[in-house]
Structures are given as C-alpha cells and as structure tokens.
Amino acid sequence: MMTAGPVFMVILGATGDLTHRKLIPALFNLYLKGRLPEELHIIAVSRHGINIDELRGSYRDWVRENTGQGFDDGQWSRFAALISGLSAGCKDMAGYGKLAELLGQHKEPAAGYLFYLAIPPGFVADVVAKLGRAGLLAKDDAWRRVVVEKPFGHDLASARELNGEMHKVLDESQIYRIDHYVAKETVQNILVFRFANTIFEPLWNRNFVDHIQITLAEEIGVENRGGFYDQVGVVRDIFQNHMMQLLALVAMEPPASFTADALHNEKVKLLRAVRPVPAAEVGKYAARGQYRGFREEPGVSPESRTETFAAIKLHIDNWRWHDVLFYLRSGKRVKKKYSEVMIQFKSPPHIMFPVPEGSRPTPDMLAICLQPDEGIHLRFEARVPDTFAGMRSVDMEFHYEESFGASAIPQAYERLLLDAFAGDRSLFIRNDGVEMGWELMDPIIEGFQSPQGPPLETYEPDTWGTAGADRLIGRDGREWLQGCGKKEDESGIVR
C-alpha cells in the first residue's frame, strides 16, 4: 500500500474531542484489521503539556468504554506504542521547529507525512502557513498531505480566502478536506446501486421520477456545542456540505471511471446545474425553524435567531432532471434520528383498475436508508388477496445487518484515514466543490437573515419540524415521506 519507509501521522489537536471520539478509535480498528502502514508513527501534538502515559490512558479509556467486551488490553498496548507526544501550541512558531526536529531524528527516509488538523477552523490557515515556514511541507521524495475538517469557511468569501491561503503552501492534490458523511458505507452504496445495476439507472430521470426527498434528521440537540452552533446554524452545518454532497451523488451523471478527478468533475458539474435561489425569493423555496429550548442551551444567546431546522426546495436545470423537484430537510431535536434518500416515481398515466372515485394507487417509492436502519426499501403496489381489485403498498427490503452481519459497517473515519494514507482523494472534497456549495447556500442564508425572509418558526422537540416545511412541500401537492421503516401518523395512515 505504501512506498518503503516509515509513515508519520501528526495529529495537531491531539487532546481534543475529535481525536478521542473519531481518530484514535478509527486508527485502532485499522490496526486490528492490519490495514495501517507497515511502519507508522503517530505523533500527538497539543498546546497543553503532554504526559504520554496519561494521554495513551485517556485514549484507551475512551476506546474501551465505547468498544465493549471486544476490547483487548494486549492489542491496545501494542497499538499505543505507536503513539508519541509533543507539547507545542498552534500559534507558537517555535513549536513547529520542535516538530521538525523530532521528525528529523529518524535516520531512515520517510515514505510520507500526514498532518491531521483536528483544530478549530479559525486556526487552519495559520497552521498550514507555519507548517510551510518550518519546512514540513517542502517537496522531496516523501509525500506530504494535510487533512482539514469542516467547516471550510463561513461563507463563499471566507472559503475562497481559506483555499487561497492553503494554495500558497500546498498543491490542491495535497489537501484532503474531510466530509465524513460522504465516506459512510451507505452513502457510497448510492454509486454502486445506481451504476452497477442496469434495472435502476434507466428510471433515474425526469421520465419516471416525480420528485426526490433527502432527509438528515437528529433526535439530539446541540449538546455542548451551543456557542458554536448559534454562530453557524443548520444551513452552514449540514446543507452546505453533507446535503450538497448527497444531492450530487444522487443526481450526478455516471463518471467515466472510478477515480478522484472523474468523481469530483461530475459532482461539481451537477452542483453547477442547481438553479440558484435568489435571496429575495427564499420564502418561496425554503422554511426554517428553531426548536423550543434552544435559547436556553449553554452558550446560546437568549435572543438567538439561528435556525436549527430548515427545508429547501431546489431545481436542477439539466436534461436528466428538468422539472423534477428536490426537497431537502434537516434539523435537530426532531422525532427520530434517521437519514434517507427517498425517490418517488410518477403515477401510472392511466388506471384501468376499479378504484374509488377520486383516489389513485400510491406511487412507487424507493428509499435509500443511510441510518440507522441501513439498507434499501422498494415500495410498490400489490393485489390484496381475495378482493375484486384491492391494492396495497408492499415493500421489498435489503438490510446491511441481515446480509453482511452486525459489524459489517465500519466507521467513516476508517475509510477516510485509509484513503489519506494511500493518497486517494475520491471521498474528499475538492476546492471547487466547497465553493459551489457556498455559492448555492449563501443567498439562502442571506434570505433567512432578511426581514422579508421566511419567519423563524418555533417547533416542539420530538416533532417533525415546522409547519412551514409542510406548507412548502404541500404547495406542490406532495408530502414528506419516510420509507426507512413504516411510520403511522396520527390518522393511522402508513406513509
């Protein structure tokens, strides 16, 4: 997998939440699977004083508590031996000199260096610049890559500025912008489902599809991220990145090959075809809300106008999707945690069966269930036995757990780290993809903040969001659907 020589992974922000919850568990799982570089050195860098034994113990406690009975102390000890520590602040240039000195102590030429920036986004540009000044990103026989967490900027202008600052030191090919949602097995299966099965792709267009819904819903609130979330909101936090990437995978044209550039080109081409929503017309295309109790969360302003829920209607102006509507919604403190892509097909043009006047059979629906019940549901009409011409919707279902086992789905960070070591940027976000997401979302954010924009409705926790979202989709004669597991509403109708 790697060229000869040691690989150094430098984690800046090594005592933080991200490193404990995501990076170390993912690296440990890769170690257990034998997928890490043959000679890997993990250097944990933090501005706080580091006692390496205490840091390893902190990592171990987190992994053991979240692994359960499968944790093995012997395997952990062998993995923990790969981790060393360095006390150095992001703002202190001397710390980068210490890091360069530490890396230079290894006599054998390195295969490569992976710098993982597990730090607040406001520090990224400065840290990259200092890594460059310390000579840690200099081009030589070893590869050098920098992994950056979202958010990538706060708006289009800041995203372009951040990209420009990083490009002063790095080639685009060296920058790995992580969106962990894209690396989920169920999200990656969208490509396989679409392009490896000949029965679905011919239906994937305006001739057969009525509309598409994408839902990313969370039961939890902002937890300990109230101050951050109050400055960001759901559009910046979810729509600009996760949602735009999902939309691109669902709607893009087939790439010529399964390579990073081919995938990125098709995704960006799709996003360029999305019809922009003018800020002055956001009320026609979007609804927003805030869950009751958000303003009482720690770190949140008592007068906060930040949205924790939004629903947006989009058009894609290309041949495949002309006149097909795309409805996107996401929110916190809603009734159920689930993420899915729902494709509703068109109704038959003529119903020859005797059905009650004014009624029609339920349109066929395809649900790609991303979490928690990972799988695919195809819903279609079937004859009810022993009736004259009765029909009922039935499901054909695929569940990952049933087909591949309960432990089949790895953490998204495992795949992303593996690809970063291997130099595969397919699941990382290219700079033009980041900027296109902001180009589409900036006018919507501006419209939300305008007095003429849609009102900020309050919705109760444990509901499905705002009445405005229902009106948004209802104006087009449609309703929000849930295909990943049947759900009965208050009227008893399964939808």
Side-chain angles (χ1 to χ4, degrees):
M1 180 176 116
M2 300 294 159
T3 54
V7 172
F8 295 88
M9 179 179 182
V10 179
I11 304 176
L12 292 99
T15 56
D17 190 53
L18 173 67
T19 305
H20 280 79
R21 291 190 304 109
K22 298 295 184 182
L23 301 186
I24 295 300
L27 287 166
F28 183 50
N29 287 339
L30 291 173
Y31 172 80
L32 296 178
K33 296 174 183 178
R35 295 181 180 176
L36 289 177
E38 186 173 340
E39 185 182 348
L40 176 66
H41 302 271
I42 302 170
I43 301 175
V45 181
S46 175
R47 61 186 174 88
H48 304 291
I50 287 183
N51 178 303
I52 189 59
D53 292 329
E54 292 180 0
L55 183 63
R56 290 170 178 167
S58 176
Y59 290 157
R60 181 197 61 226
D61 292 344
W62 177 271
V63 174
R64 182 165 53 192
E65 290 172 9
N66 292 275
T67 300
Q69 296 181 352
F71 185 83
D72 183 280
D73 281 302
Q75 291 173 322
W76 172 262
S77 296
R78 290 187 288 274
F79 168 74
L82 305 177
I83 305 172
S84 60
L86 177 67
S87 298
C90 290
K91 296 181 179 180
D92 182 12
M93 190 62 210
Y96 297 87
K98 291 164 60 178
L99 177 59
E101 182 180 353
L102 177 62
L103 294 174
Q105 290 175 0
H106 292 265
K107 297 180 181 179
E108 185 180 353
Y113 301 89
L114 184 68
F115 297 92
Y116 200 111
L117 308 190
I119 58 178
F123 291 109
V124 169
D126 186 54
V127 167
V128 170
K130 285 185 168 67
L131 286 170
R133 286 204 294 274
L136 293 168
L137 303 178
K139 295 180 180 178
D140 54 23
D141 292 337
W143 53 258
R144 299 166 193 270
R145 300 167 189 148
V146 175
V147 181
V148 183
E149 283 277 344
K150 78 172 188 73
F152 315 115
H154 190 74
D155 52 19
L156 178 59
S158 60
R160 284 176 171 164
E161 181 180 1
L162 177 58
N163 283 333
E165 290 298 315
M166 289 194 293
H167 287 157
K168 291 178 181 178
V169 184
L170 297 162
D171 293 335
E172 177 63 24
S173 62
Q174 295 176 277
I175 303 171
Y176 288 66
R177 300 175 188 82
I178 273 193
D179 186 338
H180 69 274
Y181 222 89
V182 180
K184 289 180 179 291
E185 286 289 335
T186 46
V187 173
Q188 287 304 296
N189 192 47
I190 293 173
L191 293 175
V192 174
F193 182 77
R194 286 189 59 190
F195 302 131
N197 297 293
T198 57
I199 64 173
F200 296 109
E201 183 59 21
L203 310 179
W204 217 267
N205 55 59
R206 70 188 187 283
N207 296 320
F208 298 96
V209 175
D210 176 78
H211 75 279
I212 293 177
Q213 300 179 17
I214 303 177
T215 298
L216 305 181
E218 295 184 281
E219 282 181 299
I220 62 171
V222 295
E223 296 183 298
N224 61 348
R225 300 169 67 233
F228 165 78
Y229 203 89
D230 196 22
Q231 301 299 315
V232 177
V234 71
V235 177
R236 287 188 172 98
D237 189 44
I238 300 295
F239 283 78
Q240 185 275 332
N241 39 74
H242 300 338
M243 197 69 87
M244 291 298 98
Q245 292 299 314
L246 270 177
L247 176 65
L249 291 173
V250 169
M252 73 184 195
E253 296 299 315
S257 62
F258 195 66
T259 61
D261 280 342
L263 287 168
H264 291 159
N265 290 343
E266 292 301 336
K267 288 200 291 184
V268 171
K269 186 166 69 174
L270 185 282
L271 293 177
R272 292 191 193 282
V274 176
R275 186 186 305 172
V277 176
E281 298 181 20
V282 166
K284 300 178 183 177
Y285 296 94
R288 63 179 185 138
Q290 184 186 95
Y291 67 79
R292 189 177 301 280
F294 174 71
R295 296 175 181 176
E296 285 74 53
E297 299 278 14
V300 176
S301 167
E303 290 82 34
S304 173
R305 301 289 297 169
T306 300
E307 73 282 350
T308 61
F309 174 94
I312 300 173
K313 177 173 69 174
L314 295 175
H315 296 80
I316 297 177
D317 292 329
N318 64 13
W319 187 277
R320 181 186 289 263
W321 297 116
H322 181 70
D323 283 343
V324 176
L325 295 174
F326 289 78
Y327 299 96
L328 319 177
R329 63 172 174 168
S330 181
K332 290 186 174 294
R333 292 301 308 273
V334 296
K335 195 164 189 177
K336 176 183 176 182
K337 176 182 179 178
Y338 85 103
S339 302
E340 72 171 17
V341 177
M342 170 71 75
I343 295 96
Q344 179 169 310
F345 295 97
K346 291 184 176 181
S347 297
H350 171 70
I351 303 300
M352 63 182 180
F353 306 104
V355 296
E357 186 175 350
S359 66
R360 297 181 66 83
T362 302
D364 297 338
M365 291 180 287
L366 175 69
I368 302 174
C369 310
L370 306 178
Q371 64 176 9
D373 181 22
E374 293 88 353
I376 297 173
H377 297 220
L378 177 62
R379 187 170 300 178
F380 56 92
E381 295 299 282
R383 174 186 167 85
V384 178
D386 201 25
T387 64
F388 178 64
M391 289 178 285
R392 196 182 77 185
S393 298
V394 296
D395 279 354
M396 293 180 67
E397 301 181 359
F398 151 65
H399 299 270
Y400 269 86
E401 184 172 343
E402 292 180 5
S403 296
F404 300 111
S407 61
I409 300 181
Q411 298 178 35
Y413 275 84
E414 291 181 39
R415 173 67 186 274
L416 291 166
L417 289 170
L418 201 61
D419 285 357
F421 285 129
D424 184 349
R425 298 176 65 241
S426 300
L427 301 184
F428 296 84
I429 313 304
R430 203 167 64 185
N431 61 322
D432 50 356
V434 170
E435 293 178 12
M436 273 307 308
W438 283 119
E439 282 191 37
L440 292 170
M441 291 299 112
D442 269 4
I444 293 173
I445 295 170
E446 181 184 345
F448 279 173
Q449 296 172 346
S450 166
Q452 289 74 42
L456 181 68
E457 300 179 73
T458 300
Y459 64 96
E460 299 295 331
D462 196 36
T463 67
W464 287 112
T466 67
D470 294 333
R471 291 192 297 270
L472 175 72
I473 196 169
R475 288 197 292 266
D476 300 321
R478 299 173 175 90
E479 62 177 343
W480 296 107
L481 304 168
Q482 182 184 329
C484 300
K486 294 181 179 179
K487 165 186 168 296
E488 292 193 4
D489 64 15
E490 295 177 355
S491 67
I493 299 172
V494 176
R495 61 189 183 104

